[in-house]
Amino acid sequence: MESRYKQYNYIENLAQYEGKEIVLNGWVADKTEKGKLIFIQLRDGTGTNQCVVFKGNVSESVFENAKKLTQESSVRIVGQVRKDDRAQSGYEIDVNDLSIYQLSQNYPITPKEHGDAFLMAHRHLWLRSSRQHAIMRVRASVIKAIKDFFDGNGFKQVDSPMLTPSACEGTSTLFETKYFDLGSAYLSQSGQLYAEASALALGKVYTFGPAFRAELSKTRKHLTEFWMVEPEMAFFDLQDDMDLAEDMVEYIVQYVLKNNLRELNTLERDITKLEKIRRPFYRLSYDEAVDWLQKNDIPLIRKVDNQEVEIRPFPWGEDFGAPQEEALMEQFDKPCIIHRYPASVKAFYMKRDPNNPEVVLAMDMLATEKGGEIIGGSQREDDENLLLERIRHENLPEDDYQWYLDLRRYGSVPHSGFGLGIERTVKWITGAAHIREVIPFPRMINKIYP
RNA sequence: UCCUGAGUAGCUCAGCUGGUUAGAGCAUCUGACUGUUAAUCAGAGGGUCCGGGGUUCAAGUCCCUGCUCAGGAGCCA
């Protein structure tokens, strides 16, 4: 395609330019001087490659400029692409000309080790380093894979509002803000309820957007602002819902494997583990999972007066925490879907199992390698009276849910959906140590800068 | 919110049972080098020991308190 914009050469396409003179714009990731030779690691956004300035090849002023370069100075380089077995990429650039956009002074992030707190305070600069660069590229791929998957399967993207009049699920804490003369509005913690309305209008839909949760969670898998994709399908039952979730996750992982091998290498990710992520995944009912926990002597851990107490055998009716999920997943090399949880631990909008009113038609997908819960979903309650009963039982503001109840009054149908956390998925696929590394600017309980 | 741990140079850390002038590596600056990619060699500069209070002849070190950060729990995606 003919571009109206300036045509630049990029490091990711270096092999195409072998033997040719090209122009690169970028930043100095690192520099080593060796007398009449200066080695520049040039970073241009698409990758990093070594450029060699030899005193005999350039004018005196260009050589002096090259000597002046500091880490993260921005430069324009004109040079010849040469094949070289000594180079990591297989190519080097012999510099013919070099000009400086800006000389950087005392760049805080050096090529040596840094602590988490320091790096987080410099997140706006940390994004430039190779690991973070690779993670952001994988994140972009995960998002593209999700959109491709749904768009290619007859879904329409609909956007749900960020400002909402009340809680979607009453459980989590909400961020509150003033809303003109109408009192308070809340930042959305899920687009699901609006996705349900959209599904009854368009059939198969998905929302893609941020979710906000003011929970006091301080772990390596929690953010107060995170991104979520939430498909919602009219006429899908729980079985269809689980099948779809499985197809989607397989598609995402295989897409990244196909398109981001270079990044996964930079991240030193064990690719063989990802290659195994092929359907069918494992599935266990909550009952079966509890049986397994009991047989393997995995207790429930509960806090009583600040003392941790182990309760065994694991009692039916309790939700699983991180210790139970991790124990359960150790046996699996593919994700596992756990379905039909006790109604008491799940949200009000989930449909009761007609075969057992103690449980709801819910499902969670747990990722391998301690990836944790990446998906939560369910078939929705489609009976007006049962739904109203649950709303009252949870003490939710009934008036705020009239529009939601309308969906059960005017052509109610079986329908299902789920939410996939983008950051948890990217964390799992990249093997990142902490969720704060997989979103450009993380928002956490005690962090909102930069 | 609860539990546990940490805070010393720009960064990562050492600093003993309290002892007189607080150290190292990296980074920065100056110089040397045509193959460096954690370069090497020679030299230089750089400190509110997190804040406040206390004990003591003497506190980076011990005690109290506040703040900040990290890890975990619960909740969740």
Side-chain angles (χ1 to χ4, degrees), chain A residues 286-395:
Chain A
Y286 172 85
D287 288 1
E288 290 167 330
V290 169
D291 271 356
W292 187 91
L293 291 174
Q294 293 177 346
K295 279 187 188 129
N296 289 275
D297 201 32
I298 311 289
L300 173 72
I301 299 162
R302 189 182 269 159
K303 266 192 184 161
V304 182
D305 298 331
N306 273 329
Q307 292 281 309
E308 284 195 352
V309 181
E310 296 193 345
I311 299 166
R312 55 187 91 211
F314 186 95
W316 194 99
E318 292 290 333
D319 205 355
F320 303 141
Q324 290 82 31
E325 288 180 356
E326 277 183 20
L328 204 57
M329 286 310 293
E330 261 174 38
Q331 59 187 316
F332 296 132
D333 58 357
K334 297 180 191 191
C336 179
I337 295 177
I338 298 177
H339 53 88
R340 294 180 168 82
Y341 282 82
S344 56
V345 302
K346 288 290 178 185
F348 74 94
Y349 50 74
M350 295 182 177
K351 187 178 174 62
R352 301 268 172 167
D353 187 342
N355 300 317
N356 177 7
E358 293 278 293
V359 302
V360 286
L361 297 175
M363 63 100 170
D364 285 352
M365 187 189 290
L366 307 179
T368 54
E369 300 172 85
K370 299 191 176 173
E373 185 180 335
I374 54 170
I375 283 179
S378 70
Q379 185 169 339
R380 320 305 189 187
E381 182 54 72
D382 47 29
D383 181 275
E384 182 192 350
N385 290 322
L386 291 175
L387 186 59
L388 191 57
E389 199 178 284
R390 291 299 304 273
I391 287 173
R392 286 177 177 157
H393 184 257
E394 305 263 333
N395 279 323

Side-chain angles (χ1 to χ4, degrees), chain A residues 251-262:
Chain A
Y251 185 86
I252 295 169
V253 173
Q254 296 307 319
Y255 183 95
V256 170
L257 272 174
K258 194 175 157 196
N259 292 284
N260 297 92
L261 270 182
R262 190 168 62 115

Side-chain angles (χ1 to χ4, degrees), chain A residues 422-446:
Chain A
I422 303 301
E423 287 76 19
R424 288 206 182 158
T425 304
V426 177
K427 176 178 182 287
W428 170 50
I429 292 175
T430 56
H434 199 296
I435 199 162
R436 66 186 159 216
E437 288 193 44
V438 305
I439 184 168
F441 295 98
R443 294 294 175 249
M444 293 180 298
I445 167 170
N446 51 12

Side-chain angles (χ1 to χ4, degrees), chain A residues 8-14 22-31 39-52 69-77 89 93 95 98-99 101-102 104 107-109 111 122-134 136-137 262 266:
Chain A
Y8 290 116
N9 305 115
Y10 289 106
I11 285 168
E12 66 181 347
N13 304 322
L14 217 51
I22 62 167
V23 179
L24 290 174
N25 287 288
W27 299 262
V28 176
D30 200 8
K31 186 190 83 170
F39 299 101
I40 298 165
Q41 304 302 325
L42 188 76
R43 180 179 71 73
D44 81 337
T46 70
T48 302
N49 207 83
Q50 176 154 284
C51 301
V52 186
L69 289 177
T70 52
Q71 193 188 356
E72 288 304 317
S73 287
S74 41
V75 289
R76 177 179 187 273
I77 279 176
S89 68
I93 294 145
V95 176
L98 180 153
S99 52
Y101 287 108
Q102 191 252 336
S104 163
Y107 185 71
I109 301 177
H122 296 85
R123 181 59 174 168
H124 50 299
L125 302 175
W126 189 22
L127 284 171
R128 303 180 184 190
S129 58
S130 59
R131 261 189 73 85
Q132 301 306 311
H133 178 259
M136 287 308 134
R137 286 175 66 107
R262 190 168 62 115
T266 299

Side-chain angles (χ1 to χ4, degrees), chain A residues 67-112:
Chain A
K67 270 177 91 165
K68 274 195 286 189
L69 289 177
T70 52
Q71 193 188 356
E72 288 304 317
S73 287
S74 41
V75 289
R76 177 179 187 273
I77 279 176
V78 181
Q80 205 85 16
V81 182
R82 172 175 44 78
K83 210 174 166 93
D84 194 317
D85 293 338
R86 292 169 295 187
Q88 267 176 15
S89 68
Y91 296 92
E92 276 190 353
I93 294 145
D94 286 323
V95 176
N96 300 326
D97 193 18
L98 180 153
S99 52
I100 299 170
Y101 287 108
Q102 191 252 336
L103 267 184
S104 163
Q105 295 298 325
N106 295 317
Y107 185 71
I109 301 177
T110 64
K112 283 286 181 166

